[in-house]
Amino acid sequence: MLWAARGAVNHGPVRLRRMTSLAARLLYALASLIGRLPWRWLMRLGDALAAWWRWRDVRESRVVRINLELAYPDLLPAQRDAMHAAILRTTARQVLETIRLWTRPHAENLTLLRETHGTDLMDEAIAAGRGVIIAAPHHGNWELLNQWLAWRTPLAILYRPPESAVVEAFLNLVRADTDAARVTQVRAEGPAIRQLFKRLNDGGVVGILPDQQPKAGDGEFAPFFGVQALTMTLLGRLASRTGATVLFAWCERVDTHADGPGFALHLHAAPAEVSDPDPKVAVAALNEAVEHIARRDPAQYQWTYKRYTLRPPGSGEQNPYWNR
């Protein structure tokens, strides 16, 4: 028995990885079927999904309502309700839209870009050789932006891994394409952050979603739509310590037709304060810039995200999403 125990091989982890991979591939097969539907069908499905969210008042509906109460306290109830409906409709359409973008060739997806603005800023920043940080808020379709960036230049993208191993494996599948070798996905974890510093010091490009709430202790509070929000200090640290150029980027919907949506790609220079060595100054400028982008068309911003769960220490404020 002792010999058997010593000689036994634990196949559990291997079996688990295989099951995870199989589940991810099944999800991908389903997503591929959905992605092959005509655009007009996808838009109708999105509208039906939004209507269902509102009728059942599911999590997405409740979170949007709470965020709008916090960010737009002066709106009349009817105005806020109209914005709530518009946000859910746009968000639901984006869910179906993104499934198609994930499962169709990236070169085909990029034909949806009707306009490009400020791309010379990125070319100039790359040529300067000091490194480039692309700050990409959750506005418009950030997956299309990722595909454009990967087509344009090799880059590293910072991401927070999902709790589900199956979902992470699925995302690795849907983001694979002919440009997959040009993208290094870096987990938002301590040791991995060193990769970002090295890439920027070598003159490379790094992509960061700047409006995700960091863990407690990993950020500073600053106003976002007039409400204190814990905000990442990493972007400012990277910029101030490496001298990298910071550009804000987003793909904004500009039209919708039966043959698919159209987008405008924007690249804007970040305010100098985003790179300030003082983290409080940097996060305040970061939030102000993201808010300016989100106000361009609030329906295209990701209001389904719980941005304000963590509250300033000593404020006495409660998590606004608790029990709702």
Side-chain angles (χ1 to χ4, degrees):
M1 291 293 294
L2 181 60
W3 177 86
R6 286 176 176 172
V9 177
N10 183 3
H11 295 287
V14 174
R15 186 176 297 111
L16 181 61
R17 286 196 296 271
R18 288 176 178 171
M19 292 177 63
T20 298
S21 177
L22 176 60
R25 290 186 179 280
L26 289 174
L27 278 177
Y28 183 80
L30 176 61
S32 295
L33 290 175
I34 296 172
R36 290 183 179 276
L37 294 174
W39 276 112
R40 62 182 181 278
W41 289 23
L42 291 177
M43 288 184 284
R44 289 172 184 170
L45 283 174
D47 293 347
L49 178 60
W52 184 80
W53 282 348
R54 273 174 62 85
W55 175 56
R56 298 293 299 173
D57 198 28
V58 299
R59 174 200 173 278
E60 288 78 6
S61 177
R62 296 193 303 272
V63 172
V64 170
R65 186 178 297 107
I66 294 166
N67 281 334
L68 292 182
E69 290 171 357
L70 294 168
Y72 292 91
D74 297 331
L75 287 182
L76 295 174
Q79 293 173 314
R80 196 178 297 124
D81 186 66
M83 186 179 288
H84 176 266
I87 289 169
L88 289 180
R89 182 170 179 265
T90 302
T91 302
R93 282 191 173 194
Q94 184 185 358
V95 170
L96 279 302
E97 177 183 283
T98 299
I99 288 174
R100 184 180 174 111
L101 292 175
W102 275 341
T103 56
R104 304 298 296 169
H106 293 188
E108 175 186 315
N109 296 337
L110 292 178
T111 63
L112 298 174
L113 291 175
R114 309 283 194 253
E115 308 168 16
T116 57
H117 305 277
T119 56
D120 56 320
L121 295 176
M122 191 172 80
D123 295 338
E124 293 167 3
I126 292 174
R130 296 193 303 272
V132 185
I133 298 173
I134 301 294
H138 289 86
H139 184 78
N141 196 300
W142 49 94
E143 290 294 340
L144 183 59
L145 172 65
N146 287 343
Q147 292 179 13
W148 182 85
L149 289 170
W151 167 75
R152 192 79 175 211
T153 181
L155 77 158
I157 295 178
L158 182 71
Y159 79 102
R160 181 181 299 169
E163 296 180 1
S164 168
V166 172
V167 173
E168 183 169 17
F170 169 75
L171 290 176
N172 287 334
L173 281 175
V174 299
R175 287 171 176 162
D177 199 272
T178 53
D179 55 24
R182 295 162 62 83
V183 180
T184 302
Q185 298 197 56
V186 179
R187 284 172 166 253
E189 299 169 348
I193 300 302
R194 288 194 291 270
Q195 297 181 44
L196 303 183
F197 279 101
K198 183 178 186 306
R199 183 173 286 260
L200 291 172
N201 283 324
D202 291 342
V205 181
V206 167
I208 296 179
L209 297 168
D211 47 355
Q212 287 186 322
Q213 180 177 250
K215 295 178 181 178
D218 289 345
E220 293 280 353
F221 281 91
F224 184 61
F225 281 86
V227 182
Q228 291 293 318
L230 189 64
T231 306
M232 67 162 59
T233 54
L234 174 61
L235 191 150
R237 293 204 313 272
L238 288 170
S240 65
R241 295 180 187 179
T242 65
T245 299
V246 182
L247 300 175
F248 280 94
W250 67 95
C251 279
E252 190 172 73
R253 293 176 196 83
V254 291
D255 60 53
T256 301
H257 300 292
D259 60 345
F263 294 86
L265 182 138
H266 295 268
L267 285 157
H268 280 205
E273 291 81 4
V274 166
S275 305
D276 197 286
D278 185 337
K280 292 185 180 296
V281 173
V283 297
L286 182 63
N287 278 357
E288 184 178 0
V290 173
E291 179 178 334
H292 179 74
I293 294 168
R295 286 186 182 276
R296 291 171 59 92
D297 183 355
Q300 294 198 43
Y301 189 67
Q302 190 191 28
W303 292 104
T304 55
Y305 180 63
K306 295 181 178 181
R307 185 69 174 86
Y308 303 108
T309 56
L310 298 175
R311 310 312 307 137
S315 67
E317 298 177 21
Q318 301 296 317
N319 176 354
Y321 312 101
W322 183 80
N323 201 29
R324 295 177 66 181

